[in-house]
Amino acid sequence: MERYINPHTDFGFKRLFGSEFNKELLISFLNAMFHGEQNVQDVTYLNSEHLGERADARRAIFDVFCENDKGEKFIVEMQNVYQEFFKDRTIYYSTFPIREQAQRGVDWDFKLNSVYTIGLLNFNFAEGLQNAHRWHHEVKLMEVDTHEVFYDKLTYIYVEIPKFDKKESELVTMYDKWMYVLKNLSSLLKRPAALQERVFTRLFDQAEISKFNSEDLKSYEDSVNAYRDIVNAIKTAEKKKYAEGRAEGEKLAKEEMASRLLSLGVPMATIVQASGLTEEEINKLKS
């Protein structure tokens, strides 16, 4: 039995970060993530569902979409499953808050407010980041030759939650503490001593399952079941991939053994017995 909700579930994430009632949690998390470069005083939640310019265009639904007191837009998404074109998806999503800033019917000079797309990833994002050892990745448009930022109003942040491995005793910054919560909340039995800031008092109060009313409890249980289905599907696929890879490796080893024995002139019957391959399979190795 878990005491606190799992923030990786749709219900858990939106309860903590996507509700007006708990927006101080989102504000604290954003300020911690930007290491003082942002000083978000307030956020306004915006419509999280966006339609394309045509009726048949692909729509976008964000987990959390908000703007701060300076009009800067933030898309915040919890992503549990790796998708082949996940980078493309984040780029596509960022186009909606960009286009929505266009002012019609006035002499608009194309000035834009900043847009931040934040992906909280419950997997290691290998594509393009496989050689990175850090768990926080900030991506901007840059000039290739000088490596200087070309445009600082469009930022993509990818956070690989599994790579965060700090223990409670190692938590120093507020970002460390928030990451510890994101990774470990559902497995905690009590509030850690390192998380004494007032904002975490609210978080653990809102995350305690025993305080849910019957409607919220039902919604959370449904969300947990959906999350578990996703996790089980991933594990099944990984096991199948491992089994297929192992079987292929064993077959290659047998073929290599058979080839060596053939080159030594060992009788076919002996090779069949030693390798476990059929005579037909061994004969194919001769070509």
Side-chain angles (χ1 to χ4, degrees):
M1 293 294 293
E2 298 173 350
R3 180 176 181 182
Y4 301 110
I5 59 176
N6 187 338
H8 302 163
T9 64
D10 184 65
F11 178 92
F13 186 75
K14 290 178 179 177
R15 179 180 178 88
L16 296 180
F17 297 107
S19 68
E20 182 73 23
F21 185 67
N22 287 327
K23 69 178 180 180
E24 70 172 285
L25 303 181
L26 178 63
I27 292 171
S28 174
F29 177 71
L30 291 176
N31 284 329
M33 171 177 282
F34 287 100
H35 302 291
E37 296 178 8
Q38 279 280 352
N39 183 23
V40 180
Q41 297 295 317
D42 193 15
V43 294
T44 301
Y45 287 97
L46 305 174
N47 182 13
S48 60
E49 183 171 353
H50 297 258
L51 302 177
E53 294 181 341
R54 306 188 317 273
D56 61 343
R58 180 66 181 264
R59 65 177 181 172
I61 302 177
F62 310 143
D63 287 340
V64 173
F65 183 42
C66 66
E67 67 178 6
N68 65 8
D69 40 299
K70 295 183 289 186
E72 297 172 325
K73 315 291 184 181
F74 297 84
I75 299 170
V76 188
E77 288 243 303
M78 173 63 72
Q79 184 74 17
N80 286 305
V81 182
Y82 174 76
Q83 295 179 348
E84 183 180 3
F85 299 108
F86 179 66
K87 281 196 295 188
D88 301 67
R89 172 182 164 179
T90 58
I91 303 300
Y92 175 69
Y93 274 16
S94 69
T95 64
F96 286 88
I98 292 173
R99 289 188 292 105
E100 288 173 356
Q101 295 184 54
Q103 300 176 21
R104 294 176 174 83
V106 296
D107 188 18
W108 181 48
D109 60 3
F110 291 93
K111 182 180 179 180
L112 297 170
N113 290 324
S114 297
V115 172
Y116 299 90
T117 301
I118 300 167
L120 305 176
L121 313 180
N122 199 21
F123 54 85
N124 291 335
F125 189 22
E127 185 183 1
L129 299 175
Q130 57 266 39
N131 296 321
H133 300 293
R134 299 174 66 243
W135 42 268
H136 175 100
H137 310 280
E138 186 170 326
V139 180
K140 293 180 183 286
L141 294 174
M142 74 170 187
E143 204 284 326
V144 174
D145 185 41
T146 65
H147 290 187
E148 294 180 352
V149 175
F150 170 75
Y151 187 72
D152 64 357
K153 292 184 180 180
L154 183 60
T155 304
Y156 302 90
I157 295 176
Y158 303 101
V159 181
E160 297 176 285
I161 297 174
K163 282 186 179 179
F164 181 83
D165 58 0
K166 289 188 177 182
K167 302 179 178 63
E168 183 185 346
S169 60
E170 299 173 314
L171 305 180
V172 178
T173 67
M174 278 294 286
Y175 195 16
D176 287 344
K177 296 176 181 181
W178 271 111
M179 287 299 300
Y180 187 82
V181 166
L182 282 177
K183 184 169 184 177
N184 300 295
L185 181 59
S186 63
S187 63
L188 296 176
L189 298 178
K190 63 179 181 178
R191 175 179 174 179
L195 307 181
Q196 290 305 308
E197 289 79 3
R198 185 184 62 83
V199 69
F200 293 119
T201 300
R202 182 171 193 84
L203 180 139
F204 280 93
D205 178 70
Q206 291 297 303
E208 191 161 355
I209 298 172
S210 64
K211 296 182 179 180
F212 289 4
N213 60 38
S214 58
E215 182 179 350
D216 286 344
L217 184 59
K218 175 64 166 59
S219 296
Y220 177 59
E221 289 174 344
D222 290 343
S223 189
V224 168
N225 288 333
Y227 172 74
R228 287 173 178 164
D229 286 343
I230 291 172
V231 171
N232 289 334
I234 294 173
K235 289 182 177 179
T236 300
E238 289 176 345
K239 287 180 180 178
K240 182 179 179 182
K241 183 178 180 181
Y242 172 77
E244 291 174 347
R246 184 176 179 181
E248 181 65 22
E250 290 176 350
K251 183 180 180 182
L252 289 173
K254 290 177 180 179
E255 290 176 346
E256 185 177 343
M257 177 197 296
S259 294
R260 286 201 301 269
L261 295 176
L262 278 172
S263 67
L264 294 172
V266 175
M268 178 63 71
T270 303
I271 299 176
V272 170
Q273 185 176 10
S275 68
L277 297 176
T278 65
E279 187 171 336
E280 181 182 0
E281 289 172 327
I282 295 170
N283 285 325
K284 288 181 180 179
L285 298 176
K286 295 179 180 179
S287 56

